[in-house]
Amino acid sequence: MRLKGAKQVHYDSGPNMTPLVDVVMVILIFLMLAGSFGGAEHYLVSGVPVTQTGAGGNSDKKDFDEPVEIRVDSPVPDRFIARVGDQNISDQDTLNAKMMQLRQKLEAAGTKRERAQIVISPGRNVKFKHLIAVFEAAIRPDKDADGNKLADEGAAFTKVSFATSH
């Protein structure tokens, strides 16, 4: 007994649309996610001071922090050299005194201590303990908890940051 349906002509219903729909959905999801992330960040954050120039601008206005870079190198493993301006300092006591001089120099120039930004820039082979020594010299307090001046007062800078190695 032969089946008559086996010999009937099968008409092709066209191309398979399932892979196309899958690809379109993946692209749609990607574009939705990328669009929502791009909209959250409207402006780039920058540390560059905002200045106004032209007819309504005031170029004498100083509304940004004064950066002071301290470079720390380590020529031998147990010592460090901190370069503050044009001076090289290799011991903690001299560094503490130099930080006080730096604070006094900035205050004499009209820059408040709160507006000065100390940037510690380590060298390639500087040990962490040397960076901490420079950091502690920069934030060393000038007053005790009661507000009394200390005998060996420090620079007491409030904005101290670290840069990448130079």
Side-chain angles (χ1 to χ4, degrees), residues 42-98:
H42 196 19
Y43 296 102
L44 291 175
V45 179
S46 174
V48 177
V50 177
T51 58
Q52 295 178 348
T53 57
N58 184 3
S59 62
D60 297 336
K61 187 177 178 184
K62 195 174 182 184
D63 59 348
F64 57 94
D65 295 340
E66 183 71 31
V68 178
E69 183 179 11
I70 300 174
R71 296 180 136 220
V72 183
D73 289 314
S74 184
V76 293
D78 294 335
R79 294 186 48 126
F80 72 94
I81 295 176
R83 290 183 176 89
V84 182
D86 57 347
Q87 290 185 333
N88 293 337
I89 302 163
S90 60
D91 64 290
Q92 190 68 38
D93 294 332
T94 309
L95 183 61
N96 291 339
K98 179 61 181 172

